[in-house]
Amino acid sequence: MRVLALEPYDGGSHRAFLIGWSEVSRHRWTILGLPPFKWRWRMRHAPLTFARRIRRRWSEGERWDLLWASSMLDLAQLRGLAPEVASLPAVLYFHENQLTYPLSSAVGESARRRDLHFAFSHLTSALAAEAVWFNSAFHRDDWSGATEALIRRMPDHRPLAEIEEIRRRSVVQAPGIPAIAGRLQPSPGPTSGGPLTLLWVARWEHDKGPEVFFEAVERALAAGADLRLVVLGESFERRPAVFGRARKRLAEHILHWGWLESREDYEAGLRLGDVVVSTARHEFFGLGVLEAAAAGARPLLPRRLAYPEIFGPLGDDLFYQASGEGEAGALAERLAALAAGDASLRQPPIGQRARVEEYFWSRRGAAMDEALESLVD
């Protein structure tokens, strides 16, 4: 099939998703993207901008069998502005949404006001699609519950039946990751295996809970734990101040600090870690943790968000108690125990490699190709 993919925010995980899938897909892809800059403006102008591009390509003879768009695009507007593709079956993919993403307390009051226009655009976009895909069951349920709550606050003409319609046509289609080679693990010995190396792989943003992570590290060190840090993840001009403080206070324990540009270097960085830790308060999927697990790190995660559906089958021991002000203390206790315990405790659980391979693009791409075909047949 000929697939037209529209991505208004063509960077980071959004771009990796389309590149990863299209490279293994049995279909032919035309990917139209816009630079990952000023996301609010991208959501406003993307339907008109893409309609222009589609019209030009159509005039040059290009044709497609199916339309795929991320939820950064107002699909209802696009279909109205681009009659050339309005009749094509359409998939709307939710990487994230603007209704349940947590707002930062570090910005001004006006910036903390949620723009409900975008939330309603997600609703109308989903109604305009033949299929609605979410990257996790957590995300699907989180979005639909929050959207229903929003609609129930409206004064009249509440489209509650339409929300049920969207729920019926919503499915989970997890993203894929590259086929990452795990590190060679030595046979675990009967004693402690030296310093415990921790991985931070999340974006340097408030919703990933960096304050909890670094507080837990400092508490574990104070209790005598021998720890090393590999701090990866993408950072931006505006980042939580805790990163600057932590880099100074934990300097002697840091093996690496900061973004690694090349994929090869990034995967090498992942293979340095014994344990990948998440303290995220919000995460729609968790690609970084999954990639670290593929590289051989043992996950240590809060029992919330999408983590239980991805890693739950591997056992309860991958989760720490995460609630309220005691979260940093609970995590510190687990880190200290792992650092002091038998080296075998640091090994990935039985079945981890097989579990993460389910998310390699070779498998996820084939599954999503088949799902696309069912919309056209």
Side-chain angles (χ1 to χ4, degrees):
M1 292 193 309
R2 298 161 298 178
V3 181
L4 173 62
L6 305 177
E7 177 52 77
Y9 203 80
D10 192 21
S13 61
H14 290 212
R15 180 168 182 77
F17 177 93
L18 285 175
I19 296 301
W21 184 8
S22 63
E23 285 181 346
V24 301
S25 177
R26 54 182 174 262
H27 303 307
R28 288 177 288 163
W29 289 74
T30 299
I31 300 175
L32 303 184
L34 295 169
F37 177 70
K38 298 293 184 182
W39 69 265
R40 290 178 178 84
W41 174 233
R42 289 289 177 262
M43 289 191 72
R44 299 286 189 195
H45 79 88
L48 178 56
T49 300
F50 282 139
R52 289 173 175 170
R53 294 186 180 183
I54 289 168
R55 191 173 304 116
R56 182 175 65 252
R57 286 172 174 264
W58 187 273
S59 69
E60 294 170 352
E62 289 192 56
R63 299 293 185 270
W64 305 278
D65 301 302
L66 185 137
L67 179 64
W68 182 100
S70 86
S71 59
M72 294 292 286
L73 178 70
D74 189 321
L75 183 59
Q77 283 192 27
L78 184 281
R79 291 189 110 163
L81 293 168
E84 296 86 354
V85 298
S87 63
L88 295 181
V91 176
L92 184 72
Y93 192 91
F94 278 85
H95 288 286
E96 68 279 303
N97 72 82
Q98 300 307 318
L99 183 56
T100 65
Y101 187 89
L103 301 178
S104 174
S105 60
V107 297
E109 179 64 30
S110 61
R112 288 202 300 272
R113 297 193 188 107
R114 197 179 298 278
D115 190 335
L116 296 180
H117 168 85
F118 293 127
F120 203 83
S121 292
H122 285 320
L123 173 62
T124 56
S125 291
L127 287 170
E130 277 66 38
V132 182
W133 293 2
F134 288 87
N135 54 356
S136 66
F138 159 75
H139 189 187
R140 176 198 61 200
D141 298 342
D142 187 50
W143 178 83
S144 64
T147 301
E148 180 177 345
L150 171 65
I151 294 304
R152 289 188 181 279
R153 290 162 44 196
M154 298 299 104
D156 58 13
H157 299 288
R158 303 177 187 92
L160 296 171
E162 285 81 355
I163 294 175
E164 286 304 316
E165 179 185 341
I166 293 169
R167 284 182 173 132
R168 287 192 296 272
R169 84 175 72 144
S170 295
V171 297
V172 175
Q173 290 287 358
I177 62 173
I180 300 173
R183 61 180 178 176
L184 295 175
Q185 296 281 2
S187 300
T191 60
S192 176
L196 180 73
T197 301
L198 307 179
L199 283 172
W200 168 278
V201 294
R203 294 191 313 274
W204 296 17
E205 293 187 303
H206 69 283
D207 63 302
K208 306 307 179 187
E211 293 85 0
V212 173
F213 174 76
F214 289 115
E215 180 183 345
V217 168
E218 292 198 34
R219 287 193 185 192
L221 288 169
D226 191 2
L227 303 177
R228 299 293 181 270
L229 296 179
V230 174
V231 179
L232 304 173
E234 189 174 6
S235 63
F236 306 93
E237 183 177 349
R238 177 179 290 175
R239 64 179 70 102
V242 68
F243 284 95
R245 296 194 300 268
R247 187 173 190 179
K248 293 178 181 178
R249 296 172 66 166
L250 301 172
E252 63 183 287
H253 303 281
I254 294 171
L255 294 180
H256 175 81
W257 187 274
W259 174 255
L260 290 170
E261 191 67 34
S262 76
R263 184 72 197 183
E264 182 180 21
D265 289 344
Y266 173 67
E267 292 186 9
L270 292 179
R271 282 189 282 271
L272 293 174
D274 298 306
V275 175
V276 56
V277 179
S278 174
T279 49
R281 299 195 301 274
H282 207 85
E283 184 83 88
F284 291 108
F285 184 77
L287 284 169
V289 172
L290 188 64
E291 289 178 331
R298 181 184 182 89
L300 185 56
L301 311 166
R303 187 179 289 281
R304 60 185 178 227
L305 310 175
Y307 295 132
E309 66 186 274
I310 299 171
F311 294 100
L314 297 177
D316 292 338
D317 198 44
L318 300 187
F319 300 93
Y320 63 90
Q321 185 63 35
S323 60
E325 297 181 358
E327 182 172 339
L331 176 56
E333 290 179 7
R334 289 293 303 276
L335 295 178
L338 286 169
D342 191 285
S344 62
L345 297 177
R346 307 177 184 186
Q347 301 301 307
I350 294 173
Q352 177 168 304
R353 184 65 186 181
R355 179 62 176 165
V356 298
E357 285 180 353
E358 294 178 20
Y359 295 93
F360 282 1
W361 271 122
S362 56
R363 297 189 183 184
R364 292 303 309 135
M368 288 192 286
D369 276 353
E370 185 175 342
L372 290 184
E373 291 156 14
S374 71
L375 295 174
V376 175
D377 292 343

